[in-house]
Amino acid sequence: MTTPNPVCSEAVFRLGGELLEISTESADSLDYFVEWLKTADDDRLDDYEPLDNVGGGANFELLEALIEARKQLGKRAFSKLPTDVAWKWEEKTIAVVVGKECHLPKSLEELYLALLREEREAEVAVVRPEAEEICRLFRRWKRGKMTKEQFKAKALALLLLEAGR
């Protein structure tokens, strides 16, 4: 597999035994990386090693967040994400929700609403620690360990606690 060689190639790293050069400021380069993640076998995702930050502007955090989201969602759910997901990603993104639609919530309230919209069909990946608890509650609801009403009550309590901080 060949990698794109954009003029301003910035992030150089090894992933799955392959040397990749991804410009985090190039749509084509980021789209290529997302497509690579969609087709990569799970065992190739653990072998990640950042090597160089050419020009100093590479967003390794974005690349690492995409890799982690792929690990948590699995190949099937991650492949439902639009190729341009990296461009929609923001520093404030706290989770990835994949169901009938794809969501990149930036707050607990957005996450809660996305999970309710997608019901129990959604797959979710935690990107930031503040999303962990509500995602844990969602997984319990999804597995039948709590009702939708229980999920809503506990998730709303978390939202109120967060709002009070």
Side-chain angles (χ1 to χ4, degrees):
M1 184 181 272
T2 60
T3 60
N5 194 5
V7 176
C8 59
S9 185
E10 295 177 19
V12 181
F13 57 97
R14 187 172 310 282
L15 182 62
E18 212 170 309
L19 187 65
L20 298 171
E21 297 176 22
I22 303 296
S23 171
T24 55
E25 296 183 13
S26 162
D28 290 340
S29 188
L30 282 171
D31 290 354
Y32 168 83
F33 183 60
V34 169
E35 287 301 316
W36 189 96
L37 287 172
K38 286 181 178 183
T39 60
D41 292 329
D42 291 343
D43 61 339
R44 297 188 75 196
L45 301 174
D46 290 328
D47 180 25
Y48 170 75
E49 176 187 4
L51 299 173
D52 196 5
N53 187 352
V54 178
N59 186 346
F60 277 105
E61 292 81 19
L62 170 63
L63 301 175
E64 291 165 1
L66 287 166
I67 293 167
E68 186 58 33
R70 166 57 175 81
K71 286 179 182 179
Q72 290 182 42
L73 290 170
K75 186 187 270 190
R76 186 182 62 76
F78 190 87
S79 67
K80 293 180 182 179
L81 290 173
T83 300
D84 67 350
V85 67
W87 280 111
K88 295 175 181 172
W89 200 281
E90 294 181 21
E91 191 175 303
K92 295 178 182 178
T93 298
I94 63 169
V96 180
V97 179
V98 179
K100 296 174 223 101
E101 296 178 30
C102 299
H103 308 270
L104 298 173
K106 289 148 195 65
S107 69
L108 287 178
E109 183 179 359
E110 285 181 30
L111 175 58
Y112 170 72
L113 294 173
L115 292 172
L116 283 181
R117 258 191 310 263
E118 295 299 334
E119 291 280 327
R120 292 169 52 174
E121 301 303 314
E123 296 294 332
V124 64
V126 174
V127 175
R128 297 175 58 104
E130 59 265 28
E132 188 67 48
E133 186 63 21
I134 199 166
C135 290
R136 187 184 67 73
L137 291 171
F138 172 75
R139 289 183 189 111
R140 290 191 67 212
W141 170 38
K142 186 175 173 174
R143 289 191 310 262
K145 302 284 185 193
M146 67 172 52
T147 66
K148 181 176 183 175
E149 290 71 30
Q150 288 172 317
F151 168 73
K152 288 169 69 174
K154 291 181 183 221
L156 285 172
L158 281 173
L159 291 173
L160 289 172
L161 277 173
E162 188 64 29
R165 289 185 182 163

